[in-house]
Amino acid sequence: LPHPILTNSQLDILQNIRYKGFNTRKLSICFVPSPEGSEHPGEALREALDKLCHDAEKSVDDGFNYIILSDRDVDKDHVAIPSLLAVSAVHHYLIEVGKRVQTALIVESGEIREVMHAALLLGYGASALCPYMTYAILDDLVKKGKIQENYATAEANYIKAVKKGLLKIMAKMGISTIRSYRGAQIFESIGLSEGLLRTYFGTETSTVGGIGLDTIARDAVAYHDKAIKEASADTEHPLPNLGQFHWRQDGIKHAWNPETIATLQLATRTGNYETFKKFESLVDNKPEPLFLRDFLD
């Protein structure tokens, strides 16, 4: 491959190719959640990850040298395991049993949208990726005339953008090939517990501690249920924009918000020191903590 981003067609060819040395098996990265109100919602996720790892090992033993981890089986009863957790769990389990080099891991996930999603999956063991949901969105945008180009061009532009982004991230790390980057775990995990990192991510370094499988499972089920509920309501209303990149009044909190930006602009335009002190106060005394440093005296 010249780059690690596969189109739907390329993945389909890989799955159905009848050629010596190309033996492919697809494994589902979905789980059936624990009953509602369960004390340990992460138990079902743990069992699904254990089964996934053992299925991957059996696939290697059976001679499959391409394993596709796919969340296309999502339906009202099956919730997608976060793709990064799934690929890292399989990658490190196969290393542990001495069988990782005998197979390639390919991730087919609706989660992959941004460059960082691709970078993390590659950094934790994926060989190639297929962001099928992104392609579906591009197809929809083309059909609705929201982007003025045909689907083939839109798809090529998206892949080109991800490739450029990956090269930029790798350059910042001082790494020159994807092969050196794959599985290198050159990220620091913030907000994940030591137990989770030790079991599924091949490291124990958790600077501030954090969440485990129970919280991950609870979040995955909550997002899943919300999406299923919206879909079954037969409504044109999209899922809410939580404002991850742009401030939204009813979205997540941002340190740079209309108040802080307007105050800083006013202070610099007028040269008023009192207005600048007001800006300082807004930044230093947030109503609730947003960054780790906000917890420090």
Side-chain angles (χ1 to χ4, degrees), residues 10 77 92 112 115 121 140 149-150 174 187 202 220 279 291 297:
Q10 287 172 323
D77 299 316
H92 287 101
I112 309 163
V115 173
L121 287 166
D140 187 56
E149 51 197 29
N150 62 27
F187 302 95
F279 163 73
F291 306 117
D297 294 333

Side-chain angles (χ1 to χ4, degrees), residues 165-178:
L166 285 173
L167 287 170
K168 187 172 182 179
I169 290 171
M170 287 163 62
K172 284 179 176 177
M173 297 289 186
I175 293 173
S176 52
T177 66
I178 284 278

